Amino acid sequence: MVMSGMVQNLNTQMNLEFSASNLYLHLSDWCSENKLIGAANFLRAQAQINVTHVIKLFDYIKKSGDHPIVSGTQFGDEPCSTLEDLFQKILGEHLKLSATLVEFTRVAKSLNDDSTAHFLFIMKKEHQQNGLLLQNLLDEVRISHKAGLCMQQTDRRLMNMVNKQLH
């Protein structure tokens, strides 16, 4: 059973995940328009990961007997101009999600809500793994830029990195 103070936090996290998913889809569209097919596919996969988190949180809240509240998402139509801008934006969103998971896990522990703390801890571990990948990709974008590669060449290098990590 989720402690009463945690339901609002879980709803907040669920909506942050939902917002991140929409942002990643928006950025994927930008990548497609700029013929960065690898990054576009990667971002759609990232959006799916966030949707999976939304569903996990939704189900967890429902199983606790409470009601999930999904709100609309809005973000500015801030186009990216480079892959570095794009990955900085993604990493910023990731850091925001991770910070709320850390805080909400701390709150759950302080309320002695062990099942929710454990649930959030597992999500936090997933976020940490994803954060390492995002940081590595941003680093590769910066290295590629310094080497004078165009965005499409960098895109191919990034997808090689992603494929190596998945296999």
Side-chain angles (χ1 to χ4, degrees):
M1 183 86 181
V2 176
M3 302 298 259
S4 62
M6 284 306 299
V7 174
Q8 182 178 357
N9 292 343
L10 293 171
N11 272 309
T12 297
Q13 185 68 31
M14 180 180 64
N15 283 290
L16 288 171
E17 298 279 353
F18 186 59
S19 178
S21 177
N22 285 324
L23 174 64
Y24 296 157
L25 289 173
H26 177 73
L27 294 173
S28 175
D29 182 52
W30 178 86
C31 288
S32 293
E33 289 176 9
N34 287 280
K35 299 184 181 14
L36 304 170
I37 305 307
N41 291 336
F42 172 75
L43 288 168
R44 281 193 298 281
Q46 290 299 112
Q48 184 61 50
I49 289 168
N50 286 95
V51 168
T52 300
H53 290 160
V54 169
I55 292 168
K56 285 179 182 179
L57 286 156
F58 186 94
D59 289 345
Y60 190 84
I61 294 167
K62 288 296 284 180
K63 286 178 185 173
S64 76
D66 281 293
H67 300 285
I69 300 169
V70 180
S71 61
T73 60
Q74 294 188 10
F75 47 86
D77 191 23
E78 305 165 18
C80 298
S81 58
T82 66
L83 279 171
E84 185 173 357
D85 290 345
L86 180 134
F87 278 97
Q88 284 178 326
K89 190 176 285 194
I90 293 168
L91 194 55
E93 186 70 19
H94 170 78
L95 293 173
K96 181 171 71 171
L97 288 170
S98 295
T100 58
L101 277 172
V102 167
E103 175 59 19
F104 294 159
T105 301
R106 186 195 61 73
V107 171
K109 286 179 183 177
S110 73
L111 294 171
N112 294 320
D113 187 349
D114 295 333
S115 64
T116 301
H118 179 71
F119 173 76
L120 293 172
F121 177 78
I122 292 169
M123 286 191 73
K124 186 176 77 168
K125 291 300 247 184
E126 291 174 14
H127 271 268
Q128 286 173 335
Q129 291 172 342
N130 198 40
L132 291 173
L133 174 60
L134 291 173
Q135 185 61 59
N136 288 339
L137 293 174
L138 177 58
D139 291 344
E140 183 61 32
V141 166
R142 289 175 173 154
I143 290 167
S144 296
H145 178 73
K146 285 181 184 176
L149 299 178
C150 71
M151 284 199 302
Q152 287 75 18
Q153 291 169 315
T154 302
D155 182 58
R156 286 191 293 276
R157 287 178 71 159
L158 295 176
M159 291 314 96
N160 286 335
M161 283 181 66
V162 170
N163 289 335
K164 284 180 184 175
Q165 284 201 325
L166 295 177
H167 300 297

